[in-house]
Amino acid sequence: MIRILLYSQDAKLELLLASALGPQYELTLVSDRDTIGQHICEDEPDILVLDFDSNFATLEEHLAIYDELGTSEVPIVVMTDDMRRSTAMELAQRGAYDCVRKPPSLVELSVVLRRAYEHKTMKAELRHMREVMRAEREKSGCGQLVGSSGRSQVVYDLIRRVKDLNAYIMITGESGTGKELVARAIHSLSNRAMQPFVAVSCGAIPETLIEAELFGHEKGAYTGTVGSRPGYLEQAGEGTLLLDEIGELSLQTQVKLLRVLQQREFTRLGSTRTIPLKARVLFATHRNLEEMVEAGTFRRDLYFRVNVMRINVPALRDRTEDIPTLARHFLQRYSVMYEKEVRDIRPNAMQLLVEYDWPGNIRELENVIQGAVIIADGDSISPGELPEHIRQLEDEGEAEDLDADSFGDQLRHYKVKLAHKTILECNGNKSLAARKLRVSRAYLHRLIRMPESVGAA
């Protein structure tokens, strides 16, 4: 049953339409314009039909109905004896689904009503699908982000707070920490989720092409252009644009980007037509922008423009409790990809993964697990499937467990003294000391935390 709310001053029209359209339609007549909104709320019609009779109402009086209805999801079909093109265009701009001539052809009216009903049904189904997808994303966490540590929860909380805000957001963190995944999570959880997500690595585009790639160009804008092309700012539409590694932009490009962000509009190269910036823009970098500002390699005004809200993605070594979860996540992914029955990671192998320093962060962990799955023979990953630089932690641990009177005990004392000496030489920088000694930072920490090391410094 298709429910139609008919607004008309002609009672005979209701009788005519009710008998002509048939039993699959339920028709309700309302003649008071002020009660249309109330009837829509109470009767929940599928279609609103407006009888636009130029003898009793002006165009502006009828158009006022659209403004009163606001963002109603009910499609509006207009019957009118004023079929001028200007009238039809004005009605369409105000939100009318279609117009039919009055008196109506019943065949034409039936087709229009059926199409309007199908249009409303499809919109409702699409809205339901979006709500379901969004609920699933909310339920599953933050997109593809994995981890339950306290530091991870801080990031998740910030993502949920900013997901629907059209504000400039800076995502910082070391290489490999998952900055793009954070940006994708913000997009996928937001009200822009069904719009495009465009990620641009500013450092991967040659300086001579960066402006054309961002802003687009018209035919003949510069040598070699064959036709016009929209840039990334335009391709993102009303979705989300991620400018990754923004610290790699030249000062000249920074000036032009700043103007775009301030004016919320841009022009293609070779054109004078301004295009509104509709996308929400996110930024990411692994560099210290504050230091770059002081050094004069990053504009201070651009820094304050893009640094409205900051999300810092912690390094993997600072959230080691997430390592088992991440490792099993990658294990499952690559076991399926390579069609292998590798189901688990042995405890001694997992211990090595937790103790390792992970200078390459999550990206390095993913590569290690991927390689381990490829070479694994059994149903679990053992230390033997891990890279040599990670397996050395096991050998070093075994040396520390030797009897106190053994050569290993003397070697351990020597390692402790060498560790402290190298840290002093590196002015207390433990990461630099670990690289100089060619050991992991985690192992270096284990050395300097030993009780015997108190007197070794």
Side-chain angles (χ1 to χ4, degrees), residues 326-343:
L326 285 163
R328 293 189 177 97
H329 170 74
F330 294 133
L331 175 70
Q332 181 181 16
R333 173 189 296 179
Y334 290 108
S335 294
V336 173
M337 178 180 295
Y338 298 120
E339 299 180 351
K340 301 192 70 172
E341 297 294 329
V342 186
R343 301 186 182 87

Side-chain angles (χ1 to χ4, degrees), residues 82 115 204 281:
D82 182 0
R115 287 173 51 203
V281 186

Side-chain angles (χ1 to χ4, degrees), residues 10 39 50 70-71 73 137 142 149 153 212 218 245 251 294 312 317 319 327 337 369 408 440 446:
D10 186 358
H39 278 279
L50 297 180
T71 57
E73 295 293 329
R137 288 192 295 267
C142 289
S149 66
Q153 293 300 327
E218 297 294 344
E245 299 306 341
L251 289 172
E294 294 302 320
N312 184 58
R317 63 178 172 275
R319 51 184 182 117
M337 178 180 295
I369 298 300
S440 71
R446 287 167 56 193

Side-chain angles (χ1 to χ4, degrees), residues 46-184:
D46 297 309
I47 306 168
L48 172 61
V49 177
L50 297 180
D51 176 19
F52 177 15
D53 189 338
S54 59
N55 292 325
F56 76 85
T58 66
L59 175 61
E60 282 304 318
E61 287 175 342
H62 257 72
L63 292 178
I65 295 176
Y66 297 103
D67 300 327
E68 293 168 3
L69 293 177
T71 57
S72 172
E73 295 293 329
V74 180
I76 300 174
V77 175
V78 178
M79 289 193 302
T80 177
D81 54 6
D82 182 0
M83 291 301 289
R84 290 174 299 175
R85 181 179 178 84
S86 59
T87 301
M89 290 181 62
E90 183 69 25
L91 290 170
Q93 290 175 357
R94 293 295 183 102
Y97 175 76
D98 207 344
C99 299
V100 294
R101 186 181 297 274
K102 182 183 178 183
S105 163
L106 296 179
V107 174
E108 178 188 3
L109 179 60
S110 180
V111 171
V112 170
L113 293 177
R114 174 64 62 177
R115 287 173 51 203
Y117 176 72
E118 291 174 351
H119 175 75
K120 176 180 181 292
T121 302
M122 285 190 294
K123 285 185 64 176
E125 290 177 353
L126 179 59
R127 185 170 60 253
H128 175 70
M129 288 175 60
R130 287 177 176 175
E131 291 173 354
V132 170
M133 292 173 63
R134 186 167 181 175
E136 286 297 320
R137 288 192 295 267
E138 292 277 7
K139 182 179 178 181
S140 62
C142 289
Q144 300 181 35
L145 296 177
V146 177
S148 58
S149 66
R151 287 177 175 264
S152 296
Q153 293 300 327
V154 170
V155 174
Y156 300 163
D157 180 62
L158 289 174
I159 289 173
R160 295 186 182 99
R161 288 174 183 268
V162 305
K163 59 184 175 64
D164 290 326
L165 301 180
N166 188 18
Y168 298 131
I169 299 170
M170 174 66 69
I171 305 171
T172 59
E174 297 178 6
S175 294
T177 51
K179 296 186 290 297
E180 183 174 334
L181 289 181
V182 170
R184 288 184 180 275

Side-chain angles (χ1 to χ4, degrees), residues 249-258 297-299 302:
L249 293 176
S250 68
L251 289 172
Q252 180 182 0
T253 306
Q254 291 177 32
V255 172
K256 297 183 178 181
L257 177 61
L258 175 61
T297 56
F298 197 86
R299 292 183 60 92
L302 179 59

